[in-house]
Amino acid sequence: MVDTFPVVVLQPLDSEMSHMLYNPKYGATVVKFTLATDFMERFIFESGTFELFRFIHISGPHLGLSYDGHIFPDDLLEWWEFFLGDGHYIGKRGFMTPFRHPPNGLLSDEEYEWNAIVAHYRSRVEHANRRVKSHAIFQTPWRGSIGLLACLVKIVIHMQAIEQNMHLMYHPYGNWPHNPE
């Protein structure tokens, strides 16, 4: 499951940079990060600048006006892999997304059921985003460099990953190992 979350940053003095970071959806200047989790809410992707642990791939931070569907790297998925995403990822290779409401506003029963299933499982990545964003470091606008912010986001996410591995929120299914050592 994939989702993007913003980190509010102090408005830059440079008006061009301020314009690139301002996002009207949040009413603030932000830097965006993308998170992906598996069905047990373990982190498998975070946007940043390099690869750290074996299961967390890192690629950006991104400007506030960056469109969520364009942030996720196209080369991350194998041809047989799929992610669940929200409406921002409709039409993107390797993403299963909810159906959009047609102009007449009516979805079939199967489409409604599919949307409910996607929403149910996507809520897990929303929970992961909430846990990361609720860290005390993100409660006020960030005043340091973007590079330092990217490093701190990585640290917070890796600490959350360690906590997740110690205390799984969702129980696994199947007869294979779910938490390899």
Side-chain angles (χ1 to χ4, degrees), residues 125-179:
V125 75
E126 298 288 349
H127 295 160
N129 274 348
R130 180 185 43 79
R131 283 198 330 271
V132 171
K133 287 189 330 187
S134 66
H135 192 280
I137 213 162
F138 306 126
Q139 300 309 304
T140 60
W142 177 252
R143 297 168 34 155
S145 72
I146 300 299
L148 180 58
L149 174 62
C151 290
L152 289 172
V153 167
K154 288 176 196 131
I155 291 168
V156 169
I157 287 174
H158 284 288
M159 295 305 295
Q160 288 293 328
I162 291 168
E163 185 177 332
Q164 257 321 94
N165 281 336
M166 291 171 37
H167 310 286
L168 292 177
M169 294 214 22
Y170 300 99
H171 296 288
Y173 294 95
N175 58 353
W176 55 87
H178 292 283
N179 226 1

Side-chain angles (χ1 to χ4, degrees), residues 94-116:
F95 277 83
M96 297 183 290
T97 59
F99 287 97
R100 285 192 176 170
H101 289 276
N104 67 4
L106 300 175
L107 294 174
S108 70
D109 290 342
E110 293 82 12
E111 290 170 335
Y112 273 117
E113 185 175 357
W114 173 257
N115 285 359

Side-chain angles (χ1 to χ4, degrees), residues 1-3 33-38 42-48 55-60 62 71-73 76 83 157:
M1 284 108 17
V2 177
D3 200 17
F33 292 87
T34 300
L35 276 181
T37 66
D38 63 10
R42 294 178 301 187
F43 298 106
I44 55 176
F45 174 84
E46 177 267 323
S47 61
F55 59 93
I56 301 181
H57 171 79
I58 312 233
S59 82
H62 310 280
I71 291 174
F72 195 84
L76 185 65
F83 271 117
I157 287 174

